[in-house]
Structure formats: C-alpha cells, structure tokens
C-alpha cells in the first residue's frame, strides 16, 4: 500500500510541476536516497549556507534523524512526506542529487518540469547506472528505457575530470557533463 501511495504522490508532483511556477535561485538538495546527509550535495549545501545568503534552498529528507539534526542547527530542511517538502519540490528551480531522484522524491525517476543536477557520489572505476545492466533480459530493457529517460532529463552531470566524463556519458546516456573537480 505504501508503494502505491508514494508512486501516486510522485506522479501527482510530476503533473503539478507543469503548472506551478518555479522560483529562480531556489534549490532542493538531497542525498543517500533521502536517508542521509552526505556526499557532494551535503558539501554544496554547507557552501550555500556559508557563502550565498541571497539563494534560498532546502534539504529534503525521509529520515527523522537527519531532519532533527538539521532543524536543531536551524538549517533549512523539510521532510519529503510533508506539504512543505512537496511545495519545495514544485517551486525549486534546481533539484540537486547525489545518487538519483530518490534523493529528494519517492522514486528513482521523477518525471515532470524539473531541472536536475547529478553530482555523482561514485567514480569511474566501476560500472554505474545504465552500464551495469545493458541487455539483461526483457524486463531489464523496459527498466533501461525509463532510466534513460530519467538520465537524459538531467540538466547537468558533474564530473571530477575529463577522463571521468567519458564513462559518465554512457552511464547516464547524457552529454551534459561538466568538469568541476
């Protein structure tokens, strides 16, 4: 039942995203499939706290422990399962992830009018995303199709080096790779 409710909410948020106006300089960040405060998005979030007072942003989490930790420090945070979290997703100009859209939404794919930035928690020493599952059967090919649609929707994929950019292009089926490392 929980799966159906979360899938329904994900679809509703995706549909509403076409009608709710985006707010420039408003970012939503998440990591660890929504359960942790970690990785590249954590450090970008802390950077925004220190240096960009004009930019509005919020960390979205499923975890009560992460929520309580950030709230205690008076950092901008929202629970994914709250109206504030849903509104943040709809209004955000950028959604910034570490692993997948599951960092800030209910599913690994979030379809709708969103600008997504993938900060890549991994490196190019292993096969990631699409490269792990090429042609592994009928159902895997169906899943590959939907994953490819999700990955191509990323407005930006952050890379550590020119060398790392090549595997990221195939793993995410996306040419919007920028070296920032």
């Amino acid at each position: 039942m929980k799966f159906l409710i979360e899938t329904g909410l994900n679809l509703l948020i995706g549909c509403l995203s076409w009608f709710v106006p985006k707010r420039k300089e408003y970012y939503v960040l998440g990591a660890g499939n929504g359960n942790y405060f970690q990785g590249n998005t954590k450090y970008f979030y802390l950077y925004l706290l220190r240096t960009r007072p004009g930019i509005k942003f919020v960390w979205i989490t499923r975890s009560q422990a992460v929520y309580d930790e950030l709230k205690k420090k008076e950092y901008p945070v929202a629970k994914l399962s709250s109206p504030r979290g849903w509104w943040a997703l709809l209004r955000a100009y950028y959604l910034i992830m570490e692993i997948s859209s599951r960092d800030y939404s209910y599913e690994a794919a979030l379809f709708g009018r969103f600008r997504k930035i993938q900060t890549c928690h991994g490196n190019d020493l292993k096969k990631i995303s699409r490269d792990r599952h090429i042609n592994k059967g009928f159902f895997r090919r169906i899943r590959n199709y939907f994953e490819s649609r999700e990955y191509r929707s990323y407005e930006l994929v952050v890379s550590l080096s020119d060398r790392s950019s090549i595997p990221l292009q195939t793993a995410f089926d996306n040419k919007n790779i920028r070296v920032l490392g």
Side-chain angles (χ1 to χ4, degrees):
M1 185 61 139
K2 181 180 176 184
F3 170 77
L4 292 175
I5 292 169
E6 289 182 349
T7 300
L9 283 169
N10 222 49
L11 291 171
L12 179 63
I13 290 167
C15 290
L16 290 174
S17 72
W18 293 100
F19 304 103
V20 175
K22 303 297 180 192
R23 181 177 175 191
K24 288 230 183 218
E25 296 195 2
Y26 185 57
Y27 306 160
V28 165
L29 299 94
N33 288 321
N35 295 311
Y36 303 100
F37 185 57
Q38 68 181 20
N40 294 332
T41 50
K42 170 188 173 179
Y43 295 105
F44 185 59
Y45 177 86
L46 295 173
Y47 168 81
L48 291 173
L49 280 169
R50 284 191 324 272
T51 63
R52 303 289 187 206
I55 295 176
K56 302 290 184 202
F57 55 93
V58 65
W59 187 272
I60 290 213
T61 184
R62 290 179 172 76
S63 166
Q64 189 64 46
V66 170
Y67 178 82
D68 292 342
E69 173 191 343
L70 296 178
K71 198 68 171 169
K72 182 177 167 185
K73 295 177 182 177
E74 298 182 1
Y75 290 173
V77 61
K79 289 284 298 233
L80 174 60
S81 58
S82 72
R84 181 169 186 251
W86 303 329
W87 187 245
L89 283 171
L90 291 170
R91 293 286 286 157
Y93 197 75
Y94 287 111
L95 304 177
I96 305 172
M97 71 188 87
E98 175 213 24
I99 298 174
S100 72
S101 289
R102 193 162 171 76
D103 290 351
Y104 47 68
S105 72
Y106 294 103
E107 302 293 336
L110 179 62
F111 300 110
R113 188 174 61 105
F114 299 106
R115 291 176 178 91
K116 301 172 193 166
I117 297 176
Q118 168 60 269
T119 64
C120 297
H121 75 285
N123 59 45
D124 65 338
L125 297 176
K126 61 181 181 178
K127 291 188 176 199
I128 58 173
S129 299
R130 287 186 62 246
D131 289 345
R132 291 180 306 174
H133 306 294
I134 300 298
N135 298 323
K136 299 270 183 170
F138 176 73
F139 291 109
R140 185 65 234 180
R141 283 195 299 267
I142 291 171
R143 186 170 175 190
N144 281 347
Y145 169 78
F146 287 107
E147 283 180 353
S148 290
R149 286 187 53 124
E150 168 71 7
Y151 298 151
R152 283 193 301 266
S153 75
Y154 295 169
E155 186 155 311
L156 176 66
V157 177
V158 176
S159 176
L160 298 174
S161 67
D162 289 330
R163 185 183 176 285
S164 297
S165 298
I166 297 164
L168 289 175
Q169 285 180 7
T170 61
F172 291 112
D173 194 20
N174 191 313
K175 303 282 187 219
N176 299 324
I177 311 290
R178 297 292 177 269
V179 177
L180 299 180

